[in-house]
Amino acid sequence: WLDTPAIFMGDMNHVQSHVLDSFGQRDMANWQWLRTQLSTTGRTSHTLLDFYRLKKPLDTSLTRPQIAQDGTAKGSRIDYILGSVHTRSWLPSLQISIQQNQMGSDHRPVELIKPIQPFTPPHNTIDAVLRISEFSDSQLKKFHSLLQPISSFASLLPGNMASQSDTQVTQDAELIFECLEIAARQVTSKGAHRKKMSSKEKE
């Protein structure tokens, strides 16, 4: 999983920095394995990226604020959203924050937003894909056979998305959908789709 774009999130029960990620705590949660793997500076020698610290280097927000028995405040940042090193190219466009509303939990949620280029397949492609659910066993066998030439290409896409531009990802997705449509039309003996000319094109 470290060789693919992957995100890991949750309560890690770990304080990476006693200065930035803790306040008024005596006993610090410490996961030694995570400490050695975690990058908070973006250096390539580590295997996991701490998105929050990379985007907010000096922020001292906590995910588990507490009130001690004597009424004093304390807490720590022990909830993380981490990425494998193959998500490094996402950093410039990411937005991440610690929500102040605890939502019925003793932890504050961490929110990560990654913008992506919207893509909606053409209606004729969607219709072709939907018909796949109605294929007989023999039609499915033929469909799989027709798609075999692109299976190797399609299997490479997830592992390369992190290093591609949004435009390239969209183009690859469009190519896959086009192949699905062509195969589905061959299986159902439908002719190739022909786009209807607009009134402007007819002129």
Side-chain angles (χ1 to χ4, degrees), residues 4-190:
T4 62
I7 291 180
F8 309 90
M9 62 188 77
D11 176 4
M12 305 296 180
N13 198 30
H14 170 74
V15 173
Q16 185 72 6
S17 168
H18 292 183
V19 176
L20 296 174
D21 299 325
S22 180
F23 177 78
Q25 293 277 56
R26 293 182 180 178
D27 298 322
M28 303 296 175
N30 181 38
W31 186 5
Q32 190 58 38
W33 178 86
L34 184 59
R35 181 170 301 281
T36 61
Q37 302 298 315
L38 198 58
S39 173
T40 57
T41 62
R43 289 180 297 173
T44 57
S45 59
H46 297 81
T47 59
L48 292 172
L49 306 176
D50 181 353
F51 286 138
Y52 191 82
R53 185 56 64 216
L54 288 170
K55 296 292 287 188
K56 302 174 183 290
L58 300 178
D59 191 274
T60 57
S61 298
L62 309 175
T63 63
R64 192 170 185 267
Q66 299 172 276
I67 301 297
Q69 292 183 351
D70 60 3
T72 59
K74 62 178 183 177
S76 54
R77 183 176 75 97
I78 57 175
D79 300 86
Y80 293 81
I81 298 181
L82 311 174
S84 66
V85 293
H86 292 275
T87 62
R88 189 181 303 279
S89 61
W90 299 357
L91 282 168
S93 62
L94 290 180
Q95 299 179 47
I96 188 167
S97 61
I98 294 174
Q99 304 296 304
Q100 297 305 304
N101 186 350
Q102 293 178 232
M103 299 182 178
S105 169
D106 60 347
H107 292 246
R108 290 172 176 168
V110 184
E111 179 183 65
L112 178 74
I113 299 175
K114 181 187 183 302
I116 60 173
Q117 182 172 330
F119 168 70
T120 303
H123 289 295
N124 61 295
T125 301
I126 295 175
D127 291 341
V129 173
L130 289 177
R131 285 201 300 272
I132 296 172
S133 63
E134 303 172 5
F135 285 178
S136 65
D137 289 344
S138 61
Q139 286 178 317
L140 279 174
K141 185 176 180 179
K142 181 179 179 180
F143 184 67
H144 290 161
S145 177
L146 290 169
L147 292 176
Q148 189 60 40
I150 69 163
S151 60
S152 296
F153 167 73
S155 67
L156 294 174
L157 297 183
N160 288 282
M161 287 178 63
S163 60
Q164 291 180 316
S165 65
D166 287 345
T167 300
Q168 185 61 56
V169 171
T170 301
Q171 290 175 347
D172 289 344
E174 289 175 339
L175 177 61
I176 295 297
F177 275 107
E178 184 178 356
C179 291
L180 288 170
E181 180 192 1
I182 292 172
R185 287 183 177 280
Q186 289 189 21
V187 168
T188 56
S189 300
K190 300 290 184 180

